[in-house]
Amino acid sequence: MQVIRVLIWLLIFPTLIISQTLDDYIKIAIENNPELNSYKLQAEAIEKRIKQVKTPSDPMLMLGIVNLPTNLSFTSDMMTMKEIGISQMLMFPRKYTLMGKMAEKDYEIAQKIYESKKLEIIANVKMLYFEIYYMTRAIEITRRAIDLLKDFVKITSTRFATGQGIQQDVLKAQVELSKMTDELIRMETERRNMIARFNSLLYRKPSDSVFVPDRIDFVEFRKSYDEIEKLAFEYNPMIVAMEKMVEKDKVMNQFAKSELIPDFEIKFSYGQRSAVDPSGMKALDMLSFSVGLNLPVFFKSKQNLKIQETALNVAQSEAKLLAMKNEISKMIQEKLNEIDADLKLIDLYKNGLIPQATQNLNIGLVGYQVGKIDFMTLVDNFMTLYNYQIQYEKIFASYNSGIAELEMIAGIKLQ
């Protein structure tokens, strides 16, 4: 019974079930994007290095024969031994700690690169979504305009038939109707192309349907430059990644300094002897133990230069970090300028130009019907209102896209 109810619901209200929100599309894009998944896998792979570099190298097992005479006899010489041993290379403990820290920084950098790519995908989905919304609204406005132009054709035809109008007005109305129909076809084609690109971002079939709401509510953006810059310096993944790079380079400098401390090798072996001494006793087996150290005698041309190299790398990374912050600050200001301009234009079109153009068209329509204005003036009033409505929707989409880009720069949702 429950299954039947669900099927009936799907048949009666299919759009309610199929309709997806912008957040749904973002989730699909993140889940389906193989490039993003590759960054995630790369970070997971780098994480596996941390324990590896903190673990000493494998010990070496030695098997051998010592002091074997040319007659290949194991009993004729007292010094002949069958030897088994083990050796282990070890570094100063601090070196393992520093190598682990460098691997941890690599992992943290890889994570931030993944987050940066994720933010880029989210911003691209949002921006294309708002473009589709704009084109959907433009198509709707154009269809209403076509309906109104059809009314103009009827009015001009009626006036011409009754001797109150001229044939030129009828032809003009028909031409404008054809031009508007041509524009509608172009818009519908462009919208289908946008949907194909949008589905490509989501790794779906190009022909899959995309739902956008009839109206997106306007929300005024209120964040200041200082607020956004502070957030960006804290959350922008590329800035954080560069900070991690500075930290890694500093650890590498510490590791280079620790290279002056010798590494050492421990060896232990057991030698089994088969020879018998003159008294008839079997020779005793032998134990060997040794410790070896590498001597950094070329420190002036090797270790010291490495220390200088890594110190320069630290300075270079710090310079890159400052340059990146400066670039981010510039991008924030530019994007805020664009958003502010869009806010002013939205207010101008919504509360000024569109109401005024609507009033002019209504007055013109009445004036034309009573013969007070000519048809060309009426068409001009109509096209002015149409262009204002289209431009408003374009600016509204640009405004929302700008916020999406700003969120990508800041590295965090801003509203």
Side-chain angles (χ1 to χ4, degrees), residues 142 180-190 192:
T142 304
M180 195 66 71
T181 303
D182 177 71
E183 181 67 9
L184 178 62
I185 294 171
R186 184 194 66 78
M187 286 180 171
E188 289 175 338
T189 302
E190 188 171 349
R192 286 194 292 271

Side-chain angles (χ1 to χ4, degrees), residues 136-321:
T136 302
R137 293 287 300 158
I139 289 171
E140 182 184 340
I141 292 168
T142 304
R143 285 173 177 165
R144 290 202 306 264
I146 288 173
D147 291 338
L148 187 55
L149 276 174
K150 288 178 180 178
D151 291 337
F152 284 2
V153 172
K154 291 178 183 178
I155 292 171
T156 55
S157 298
T158 300
R159 284 174 58 82
F160 175 67
T162 58
Q164 296 177 329
I166 58 176
Q167 188 176 17
Q168 185 179 357
D169 290 349
V170 179
L171 295 175
K172 178 64 176 175
Q174 290 174 340
V175 168
E176 291 298 329
L177 178 60
S178 297
K179 287 167 62 178
M180 195 66 71
T181 303
D182 177 71
E183 181 67 9
L184 178 62
I185 294 171
R186 184 194 66 78
M187 286 180 171
E188 289 175 338
T189 302
E190 188 171 349
R191 185 178 185 275
R192 286 194 292 271
N193 290 338
M194 287 179 178
I195 288 175
R197 293 198 299 272
F198 187 79
N199 282 321
S200 177
L201 280 177
L202 273 59
Y203 284 82
R204 306 193 308 180
K205 293 180 180 178
S207 59
D208 283 356
S209 61
V210 175
F211 171 81
V212 293
D214 295 331
R215 175 63 66 182
I216 294 177
D217 294 333
F218 170 73
V219 179
E220 186 175 355
F221 187 77
R222 297 181 180 275
K223 295 283 187 184
S224 69
Y225 168 83
D226 290 337
E227 288 179 281
I228 299 170
E229 185 185 53
K230 183 179 179 181
L231 289 170
F233 287 174
E234 183 177 355
Y235 293 105
N236 181 286
M238 295 313 296
I239 287 181
V240 177
M242 185 53 67
E243 290 173 341
K244 299 296 181 184
M245 180 60 71
V246 172
E247 293 172 7
K248 178 189 173 183
D249 286 339
K250 288 180 178 178
V251 175
M252 289 181 69
N253 180 250
Q254 293 174 17
F255 184 80
K257 292 176 180 177
S258 70
E259 288 281 73
L260 291 168
I261 302 173
D263 299 331
F264 52 96
E265 181 182 24
I266 300 173
K267 291 183 179 181
F268 176 81
S269 63
Y270 170 79
Q272 188 266 329
R273 297 195 294 176
S274 301
V276 178
D277 63 19
S279 64
M281 293 186 62
K282 177 182 173 298
L284 296 176
D285 295 341
M286 308 288 279
L287 295 176
S288 299
F289 176 78
S290 66
V291 176
L293 300 175
N294 70 302
L295 301 177
V297 293
F298 304 109
F299 66 92
K300 288 185 178 181
S301 58
K302 190 173 182 180
Q303 284 85 356
N304 283 2
L305 292 180
K306 186 68 174 179
I307 292 171
Q308 295 174 28
E309 177 191 349
T310 53
L312 290 172
N313 287 339
V314 171
Q316 181 188 31
S317 296
E318 289 175 337
K320 285 183 177 180
L321 176 60

